[in-house]
Amino acid sequence: MTRERSGGLGAVLLASGMSRRYGSRNKLLREIDGEAMVRRVLRRLEVDGVDFRVVTLGHQMEAVAAALRGSDAALVFNTNYAEGMGTSLAFGVSEAVKRNPDALLVCLADLPELEAEDTRRVATSFWEAGGNRIAYPLVGRRRGHPVCFPKRCFGDLCQLKGDQGARRLIEADGFEPVEVSGVSRGCIRDLDRD
């Protein structure tokens, strides 16, 4: 992947949710092809061009961390995880920006069908479009993950609270987004039911 940038590209994996809609088990620990889903999705972010990865932990932190044992990702604990995804997103980004990246890929950890090629395509499209516009995969009319945010969005991401995700930020952004086609349905197929 050709990039002209100085601070690099990081990835933030949101893995702190409480799996309320999934049932009694933590869905991130569900085995998919012999490995915990959270580990599987993290590996999909391990592509050329991604310089580091940060995983936000919360609900059942010890068990999720154990599923990620041996990974080179930075595991960070969001003490406010029960307040909602916005707090985990803000916390994960605030931890990631300490490495001074130029851009961050943000991804949910419950996308068992996500492919590494999807991550690669979003990152490549982001840089090819100039590296200053939000890029996301588009499947039909649905936005998916991972979403690539340029540095100019970091401050707003760090201010998110409660259950508020980045949707409003994406929709209010003054720049035309980079809509990435040709991705798999794994970008939008999350796992909410056991």
Side-chain angles (χ1 to χ4, degrees):
M1 179 186 323
T2 304
R3 296 160 302 164
E4 292 182 14
R5 42 102 176 148
S6 57
L9 175 64
V12 176
L13 184 65
L14 303 178
S16 54
M18 298 176 69
S19 302
R20 288 186 180 119
R21 293 183 299 262
Y22 188 68
S24 61
R25 296 184 303 148
N26 186 331
K27 64 182 170 181
L28 300 184
L29 301 174
R30 179 178 171 177
E31 286 212 357
I32 310 285
D33 295 333
E35 68 182 333
M37 179 167 50
V38 65
R39 187 174 195 92
R40 177 184 178 88
V41 177
L42 181 63
R43 284 193 311 105
R44 299 316 194 253
L45 300 177
E46 188 177 307
V47 299
D48 178 47
V50 174
D51 300 305
F52 67 90
R53 294 167 300 151
V54 172
V55 182
T56 64
L57 303 177
H59 180 61
Q60 296 183 347
M61 176 189 76
E62 296 85 2
V64 176
L68 296 171
R69 191 171 289 123
S71 161
D72 66 353
L75 307 182
V76 295
F77 178 60
N78 173 26
T79 57
N80 298 319
Y81 72 90
E83 293 177 19
M85 181 173 56
T87 62
S88 290
L89 179 51
F91 180 72
V93 170
S94 67
E95 289 295 311
V97 299
K98 293 175 182 177
R99 298 178 185 221
N100 195 31
D102 287 323
L104 288 172
L105 285 162
V106 173
C107 192
L108 303 176
D110 65 344
L111 297 170
E113 297 175 29
L114 183 71
E115 297 294 336
E117 183 54 34
D118 299 325
T119 302
R120 206 173 285 114
R121 188 178 293 269
V122 171
T124 299
S125 298
F126 171 81
W127 293 119
E128 287 176 349
N132 196 39
R133 294 158 53 199
I134 298 170
Y136 52 77
L138 196 64
V139 180
R141 296 177 148 188
R142 287 184 60 191
R143 285 193 298 255
H145 284 86
V147 179
C148 195
F149 292 95
K151 184 177 273 193
R152 64 180 178 77
C153 295
F154 295 172
D156 289 329
L157 290 169
C158 289
Q159 298 303 313
L160 294 174
K161 295 185 179 2
D163 221 13
Q164 170 191 15
R167 177 176 288 157
R168 276 195 214 137
L169 172 61
I170 293 169
E171 292 172 352
D173 190 49
F175 290 73
E176 184 179 337
V178 179
E179 295 181 337
V180 183
S181 59
V183 294
S184 78
R185 293 190 63 78
C187 293
I188 60 171
R189 283 188 174 159
D190 60 354
L191 190 66
D192 273 340
R193 300 272 187 257
D194 193 354

